[in-house]
Amino acid sequence: MTPDSSLPRMPATRPPAAVSLAAFTSSVDRFGVSPLLVILAVDFGVSLSLAVVVASIYFMTYGLSQPLWGMLSDRFGRLPLMRFALAGAVLCSVASACAPSLLFLTVARALAGGFFGAIVPASITYVGDTSDNENRQSMMSDLMAAVAVGTAVATAASGVIGQMFSWRVVFAVSAVLALVSLIPLFRLVEPERDRTVSISASLRLFFTEKWALIVVALAFVEGSLVLGILTLLAPALEFQGVETRWAGLSVAAYGVATLVCTRLVRPLSARLTRPRILSIGGICLTAGLGTVALHLSITTVVIAAMLLGASWALMHTSLQAWATQVVPSARGMTVAFFAGALFAGSAVSSALAGALAEAGEWTLLFGLATAVALLLTVVAATAMSRYQARH
């Protein structure tokens, strides 16, 4: 039975389970690649640096494809885009599981990254379309909880499955999850939007709205600090002589903390303004990075990972909710640029940090990141307060 479109619709208070499941699946596939790199190198008889290309090109297509998906989302709708992307993801994941060579696998994963890259931005935009301002951030936190569960599951299980069975099983699981996620999306109704705009109009609306550019710039810095630095925590421990498995498990605390803290967003939203929630998340980010800057050990990395998870739940959902507001008629475009900026920031910070990491200058590296995190918190909270005062 389909809903009667003639009946008035109340604003949603939680994202549909089908949308959350799709976001979970995208997160599982994205975070399930890295733990398999050593296994891939051994299985194909290549160097680790060649195996790393499989992950690198996946992340590149995952991030770079998002502005394109945003344009198509504004033009053709959120649900049609997610259905098409998940169908492509199923085929590419099956191809990945059956890959006869590293080159074939690299191409299959590059295409998979492009398709899976559409899911989370479209999910966020769907939430923006179906929520009111009062419930938007709490709905974002529910969606991020699904992403956090996917992160934690993939981080903990991917390497174990690859070691016990085969790396092919991990990609086969992604294919099954993508198929299972696709089916319930056909039961949902495309949300009503202000109007359907052309791709050129969406671009024009985005680039002429200064607040949209500000939010995307803040997302770039946040991505460089959270996603970029997060990938360096395990190597930092390994540089100290900690075994790889313990280093990985230490960082897995990030996913657990994100899941727990997303449960706090709804009650906090009822009591605090969004700039204050963002500020709390920024303080967690600054404190987490400062902790590993002062001393590097398994204990401090666990603490830092948990604080970064709290920051992602509080600060990131605040910025996400803001991104869905600034250009309602080009919401898909704005969210896609927002997500793309996150991954671009992660890539840039990882590249810039490479020399310091290679030299073992972890105190300087994390110390600089702490200073930038403090500046980001002040600028983001101030900008959001000004935006809310004017709108």
Side-chain angles (χ1 to χ4, degrees):
M1 180 181 295
T2 58
D4 186 352
S5 59
S6 65
L7 294 176
R9 292 178 183 155
M10 298 295 291
T13 57
R14 294 186 184 279
V19 173
S20 295
L21 177 60
F24 165 84
T25 299
S26 178
S27 182
V28 166
D29 191 78
R30 176 158 57 97
F31 284 92
V33 177
S34 297
L36 301 175
L37 296 179
V38 173
I39 298 172
L40 289 173
V42 172
D43 196 40
F44 285 112
V46 299
S47 66
L48 182 58
S49 60
L50 275 178
V52 167
V53 174
V54 175
S56 299
I57 197 168
Y58 176 93
F59 295 136
M60 182 177 70
T61 57
Y62 190 101
L64 293 179
S65 66
Q66 297 195 9
L68 172 62
W69 291 124
M71 298 177 200
L72 296 175
S73 168
D74 282 333
R75 183 69 183 88
F76 298 106
R78 321 308 184 195
L79 293 174
L81 180 81
M82 292 176 70
R83 293 165 188 154
F84 174 79
L86 281 170
V90 171
L91 296 176
C92 293
S93 296
V94 170
S96 299
C98 301
S101 67
L102 186 67
L103 177 60
F104 188 98
L105 177 62
T106 302
V107 174
R109 295 310 296 160
L111 293 172
F115 283 117
F116 275 114
I119 305 304
V120 173
S123 301
I124 295 169
T125 310
Y126 183 95
V127 168
D129 289 341
T130 55
S131 62
D132 57 17
N133 190 51
E134 181 180 352
N135 293 301
R136 185 166 290 133
Q137 185 167 0
S138 59
M139 287 181 66
M140 291 293 177
S141 71
D142 289 339
L143 190 64
M144 287 304 100
V147 173
V149 171
T151 302
V153 168
T155 304
S158 178
V160 175
I161 293 173
Q163 207 163 29
M164 290 182 62
F165 302 102
S166 169
W167 56 267
R168 298 180 187 276
V169 176
V170 176
F171 296 131
V173 169
S174 286
V176 172
L177 284 175
L179 181 60
V180 171
S181 302
L182 172 62
I183 295 170
L185 286 179
F186 287 98
R187 302 193 190 115
L188 296 182
V189 176
E190 178 70 13
E192 295 178 1
R193 289 181 280 149
D194 294 341
R195 58 192 176 98
T196 300
V197 297
S198 66
I199 291 175
S200 60
S202 291
L203 283 169
R204 186 168 59 254
L205 287 167
F206 172 78
F207 282 107
T208 55
E209 174 53 67
K210 72 170 186 177
W211 290 109
L213 299 177
I214 289 172
V215 174
V216 168
L218 293 172
F220 178 88
V221 180
E222 186 199 24
S224 70
L225 292 173
V226 181
L227 299 181
I229 298 300
L230 184 68
T231 61
L232 297 174
L233 291 179
L237 282 179
E238 292 176 68
F239 193 89
Q240 305 293 315
V242 177
E243 289 185 23
T244 301
R245 59 175 176 172
W246 295 116
L249 286 173
S250 300
V251 179
Y254 166 84
V256 177
T258 303
L259 177 60
V260 171
C261 291
T262 52
R263 304 298 84 203
L264 301 177
V265 172
R266 192 176 293 274
L268 284 176
S269 297
R271 294 172 175 80
L272 301 175
T273 62
R274 194 177 294 162
R276 289 189 177 183
I277 295 174
L278 183 148
S279 298
I280 294 172
I283 292 170
C284 290
L285 175 61
T286 305
L289 295 172
T291 299
V292 285
L294 292 173
H295 180 66
L296 188 58
S297 67
I298 290 180
T299 301
T300 57
V301 164
V302 170
I303 293 172
M306 293 177 67
L307 287 170
L308 262 62
S311 172
W312 192 253
L314 302 175
M315 186 179 202
H316 183 67
T317 58
S318 300
L319 291 174
Q320 269 185 338
W322 190 11
T324 64
Q325 287 180 251
V326 287
V327 192
S329 297
R331 183 174 284 134
M333 176 75 69
T334 306
V335 170
F337 272 106
F338 177 90
L342 281 170
F343 293 106
S346 171
V348 169
S349 67
S350 297
L352 293 177
L356 290 176
E358 188 76 23
E361 297 286 350
W362 300 108
T363 298
L364 176 59
L365 173 58
F366 294 135
L368 289 172
T370 302
V372 176
L374 180 59
L375 180 62
L376 171 66
T377 302
V378 173
V379 172
T382 302
M384 183 177 286
S385 296
R386 290 183 179 178
Y387 173 83
Q388 291 192 340
R390 295 179 184 180
H391 297 78

